[in-house]
């Protein structure tokens, strides 16, 4: 396991504090947890969006400052991550709908479970997109990314070259441990809004991964 940076130590400390507070109020006062800590348009939700934007900005910065020295595969991967996390941030806050007091269009009023302007709450037939893609499919992707890829990356030169070619940050084991521990602790919170805290943890840990990946060779050289 490579060394943990000071930034990561601060990030994990912040995450631990958030989890402890969430567990405490989740058990002692679930109403307070739902309406003050994990409420819609609250500090946790906006913090998640900010973290995702930070990852996007980091990727855009690397793309625009380093891409001329990199292959098209590296450019594609870096730009793809920048757009992906920007999309995630937009979805998290419904693209600023409530911030700017924008009414949902007729399409979203009819097809969105929460009448919001976003894709993850859409309902197609009897299927919720959020449950199918952003929960079940995402969980499979997370297992592959956090556990399977790091194992194969260390064993297979072909996989290592492919991952590095597309600038995919490989997690260090302390990132995986943090994610697994967070999953267990969040699951213990007796509130349906506990997943807002999980999304915050997702944003924070992924920011730390992109700042300090196992495969540092994909990062711009100073």
């Amino acid at each position: 396991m490579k060394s943990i940076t000071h930034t990561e130590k601060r990030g994990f400390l912040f995450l631990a504090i958030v989890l402890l507070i969430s567990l405490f109020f989740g058990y002692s006062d679930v109403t307070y947890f739902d309406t003050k800590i994990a409420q819609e348009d609250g500090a946790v939700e906006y913090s998640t969006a900010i973290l995702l934007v930070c990852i996007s900005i980091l990727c855009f910065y690397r793309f625009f400052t380093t891409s001329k020295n990199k292959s098209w595969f590296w450019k594609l991967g870096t730009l793809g991550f920048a757009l992906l996390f920007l999309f995630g941030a937009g979805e998290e806050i419904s693209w600023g709908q409530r911030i700017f007091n924008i009414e949902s269009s007729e399409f979203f009023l009819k097809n969105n479970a929460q009448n919001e302007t976003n894709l993850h709450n859409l309902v197609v037939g009897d299927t919720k997109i959020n449950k199918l893609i952003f929960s079940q499919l995402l969980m499979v992707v997370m297992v592959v990314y956090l556990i399977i890829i790091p194992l194969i990356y260390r064993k297979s030169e072909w996989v290592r070259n492919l991952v590095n070619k597309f600038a995919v940050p490989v997690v260090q084991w302390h990132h995986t441990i943090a994610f697994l521990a967070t999953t267990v602790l969040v699951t213990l919170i007796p509130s349906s809004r506990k997943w807002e805290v999980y999304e915050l943890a997702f944003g924070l840990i992924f920011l730390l991964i992109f700042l300090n990946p196992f495969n540092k060779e994909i990062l711009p050289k100073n």
Side-chain angles (χ1 to χ4, degrees):
M1 182 182 294
K2 295 187 177 181
S3 60
I4 301 177
T5 66
H6 290 298
T7 299
E8 287 177 313
K9 291 178 181 178
R10 296 187 184 98
F12 290 140
L13 176 60
F14 172 76
L15 178 58
I17 293 172
V18 170
L19 290 172
L20 288 174
I21 292 174
S22 299
L23 282 166
F24 175 78
F25 285 105
Y27 276 98
S28 64
D29 191 343
V30 70
T31 300
Y32 184 85
F33 176 83
D34 288 344
T35 60
K36 298 298 182 181
I37 296 178
Q39 79 270 32
E40 194 80 18
D41 297 328
V44 169
E45 185 173 273
Y46 284 121
S47 295
T48 301
I50 290 172
L51 288 168
L52 296 178
V53 168
C54 286
I55 302 173
S56 179
I57 291 174
L58 177 63
C59 292
F60 274 122
Y61 173 79
R62 289 172 177 171
F63 177 81
F64 286 113
T65 60
T66 316
S67 61
K68 64 180 180 180
N69 301 318
K70 298 290 186 178
S71 69
W72 282 103
F73 297 105
W74 187 94
K75 295 175 184 178
L76 179 63
T78 302
L79 183 59
F81 281 122
L83 295 174
L84 176 64
F85 284 101
L86 183 61
F87 172 80
E91 282 287 298
E92 181 66 18
I93 58 173
S94 298
W95 302 98
Q97 177 181 13
R98 288 180 294 276
I99 297 176
F100 302 107
N101 196 27
I102 301 173
E103 293 291 332
S104 295
S105 66
E106 183 178 351
F107 172 81
F108 286 105
L109 289 174
K110 288 183 177 180
N111 298 285
N112 190 286
Q114 296 184 10
N115 297 327
E116 297 174 334
T117 305
N118 57 49
L119 299 180
H120 68 275
N121 284 320
L122 285 179
V123 178
V124 179
D126 295 326
T127 303
K128 290 185 177 181
I129 299 297
N130 188 30
K131 183 176 181 180
L132 176 63
I133 297 180
F134 294 91
S135 295
Q136 299 173 356
L137 182 59
L138 182 60
M139 185 58 64
V140 174
V141 172
M142 293 303 297
V143 170
V144 172
Y145 180 70
L146 291 170
I147 300 176
I148 297 178
I149 288 181
L151 287 171
I152 300 177
Y153 181 89
R154 290 164 170 81
K155 301 291 184 180
S156 171
E157 183 177 356
W158 181 84
V159 171
R160 186 159 54 250
N161 291 335
L162 180 65
V163 168
N164 290 344
K165 179 181 291 186
F166 284 95
V168 178
V170 175
V171 303
Q172 300 198 52
W173 289 126
H174 56 264
H175 299 137
T176 301
I177 293 171
F179 225 111
L180 294 176
T182 297
T183 301
V184 172
L185 293 175
V186 169
T187 303
L188 295 175
I189 300 174
S191 168
S192 60
R193 295 201 59 80
K194 60 189 174 185
W195 303 115
E196 295 294 333
V197 176
Y198 196 57
E199 290 171 0
L200 173 63
F202 174 98
L204 177 58
I205 294 174
F206 263 80
L207 177 59
L208 298 179
I209 292 171
F210 274 72
L211 286 172
N212 186 35
F214 178 78
N215 53 338
K216 290 183 174 59
E217 55 266 36
I218 69 170
L219 301 180
K221 294 182 180 179
N222 296 324

